[in-house]
Amino acid sequence: MLDDSLFDDPARLADVDTRGLLRSAAMAGAQVRSAVEVTAETGLDDLADGRPRAVVLLARPGVSPAVCRLLAALAGQSCPVPVVVADTAPTWVGALDVVFAATDDAGDPVLAESVSVAARRGATVVLAVPAEGPVAAAAAGRAKVIAPKVPVPPALSFAHAFTAGLSLFGALGLLRADTETLADELDREAARAHPSHELLMNPAKSLAMRLADRAPLLWGLDQVSTAVAEHGAYALGCHAGTACDVSSYQQAVARQALHRTARGLGSEADLFADPEDNPGGLMRVFLVSARFDAESEATERAAVRDLPAADLVTPGESVRDDAVLRSALLAVRFDLAAVYLGLAAGTLDGPGWQALAMH
């Protein structure tokens, strides 16, 4: 059962957050700065010498799949180099390719094998992984390892993996990102989401409340936003035990029966609306929109016209129109909202969890 009174009681939030997850979720900016520092020590400058045949992003369980798809989406269709997202190293990988992987599982045997294969074939390997363990060792000293230095739970390591990937794409000249501004923006998001800020002034608490007691349909309005929605679903599954539908909006429209049901849902602008009054049961559509250029803004307007009762999730007007900044901020907001929701619902160390423990 959701104890929404917890949102307005910072002292109780601190008491039930015995693992300090809110603090860890608020350290995304610190993760960015740390990743930049480690990248500088590791050195990626030599990657600018030539353009690779392909960039292979290895998506392993955890934050990695959404990070890889977000990096690929940010690079865009106009990227001069093919960007391939795969579970394992492709059979064709070789000396002309760059392979990137991020994981907190230092012993992932599948990834270790892929890293070994890529390194033996002469590929450039960049890893955002712990410095010690089979994965880092699999390259036999031939990988550039960007090890995490800020201790956070694996489910909250998005910022480190994302920044390591951004650094690689930047070194290759495929994507520009101002990591200093990114870190500052994530710090500001953490400040806005501080437990002392009340629900209506706290974007993470507000999102958590809107997600509560619903079956969320997270529909991304473009490739970048869909990757963010994928991370949101991962965060909600990790912390709040919430099952989400994730889809691009185009794919959602193609699922005609579900989209028709979504169009029939009543308005739920009121955060405290009774979900039992929802004619679609407990479903609620969340249109995830990074909205960073004119095209994405037009897509957003069209989707809102199509589904006027949907909940629009955007970074807000205070964040400048930059796809990297806006997508990362939304991903971290989902992390914070999922932790708040998990604490209030008892799926972490909240009141519900304590009640279950007594039985």
Side-chain angles (χ1 to χ4, degrees), residues 125-199:
V125 179
V126 179
L127 303 174
V129 303
E132 303 295 331
V135 173
R142 295 192 293 273
K144 298 175 182 292
V145 179
I146 304 172
K149 299 297 184 182
V150 178
V152 297
L156 296 173
S157 63
F158 166 88
H160 175 79
F162 183 58
T163 305
L166 284 178
S167 299
L168 169 61
F169 275 61
L172 292 171
L174 303 179
L175 185 63
R176 289 185 177 182
D178 183 343
T179 51
E180 182 178 350
T181 300
L182 173 60
D184 291 343
E185 195 60 64
L186 295 184
D187 282 346
R188 282 190 285 271
E189 178 67 11
R192 289 188 290 264
H194 193 275
S196 63
H197 294 166
E198 62 183 22
L199 179 69

Side-chain angles (χ1 to χ4, degrees), residues 45-342:
D45 294 343
D46 59 319
L47 298 185
D49 294 341
R51 181 163 289 170
R53 176 180 62 173
V55 177
V56 179
L57 308 178
L58 298 180
R60 300 302 302 155
V63 301
S64 178
V67 167
C68 288
R69 277 184 260 281
L70 180 54
L71 289 169
L74 288 167
Q77 295 181 348
S78 61
C79 181
V81 173
V83 179
V84 179
V85 179
D87 296 329
T88 59
T91 56
W92 47 261
V93 73
L96 299 178
D97 305 310
V98 173
V99 175
F100 172 78
T103 184
D104 286 281
D105 183 0
D108 182 341
V110 175
L111 180 55
E113 176 62 22
S114 287
V115 168
S116 176
V117 168
R120 286 200 310 270
R121 294 180 181 174
T124 299
V125 179
V126 179
L127 303 174
V129 303
E132 303 295 331
V135 173
R142 295 192 293 273
K144 298 175 182 292
V145 179
I146 304 172
K149 299 297 184 182
V150 178
V152 297
L156 296 173
S157 63
F158 166 88
H160 175 79
F162 183 58
T163 305
L166 284 178
S167 299
L168 169 61
F169 275 61
L172 292 171
L174 303 179
L175 185 63
R176 289 185 177 182
D178 183 343
T179 51
E180 182 178 350
T181 300
L182 173 60
D184 291 343
E185 195 60 64
L186 295 184
D187 282 346
R188 282 190 285 271
E189 178 67 11
R192 289 188 290 264
H194 193 275
S196 63
H197 294 166
E198 62 183 22
L199 179 69
L200 295 179
M201 300 299 293
N202 186 316
K205 286 182 182 179
S206 174
L207 179 56
M209 191 65 185
R210 301 197 308 272
L211 287 160
D213 299 323
R214 266 70 173 185
L217 311 181
L218 303 184
W219 293 349
L221 297 187
D222 50 58
Q223 287 186 325
V224 169
S225 302
T226 302
V228 173
E230 182 179 353
H231 178 73
Y234 169 75
L236 288 164
C238 283
H239 304 297
T242 301
C244 303
D245 174 73
V246 180
S247 172
S248 68
Y249 188 66
Q250 288 182 326
Q251 181 69 4
V253 172
R255 295 182 295 174
Q256 297 177 3
L258 181 58
H259 186 257
R260 186 166 54 248
T261 300
R263 292 185 68 177
L265 298 180
S267 174
E268 294 188 339
D270 181 358
L271 293 179
F272 306 100
D274 185 352
E276 297 298 334
D277 293 336
N278 183 341
L282 298 180
M283 287 195 311
R284 188 167 189 171
V285 177
F286 291 81
L287 298 175
V288 181
S289 175
R291 198 210 313 151
F292 48 86
D293 58 18
E295 182 179 351
S296 59
E297 185 176 358
T299 301
E300 179 185 300
R301 286 198 302 267
V304 169
R305 283 196 303 268
D306 196 27
L307 294 177
D311 191 310
L312 183 61
V313 183
T314 71
E317 302 301 330
S318 63
V319 186
R320 65 182 173 88
D321 293 343
D322 179 281
V324 171
L325 295 181
R326 293 175 71 84
S327 59
L329 184 145
L330 275 183
V332 169
R333 183 173 298 170
F334 270 112
D335 279 339
L336 288 157
V339 171
Y340 272 121
L341 186 55

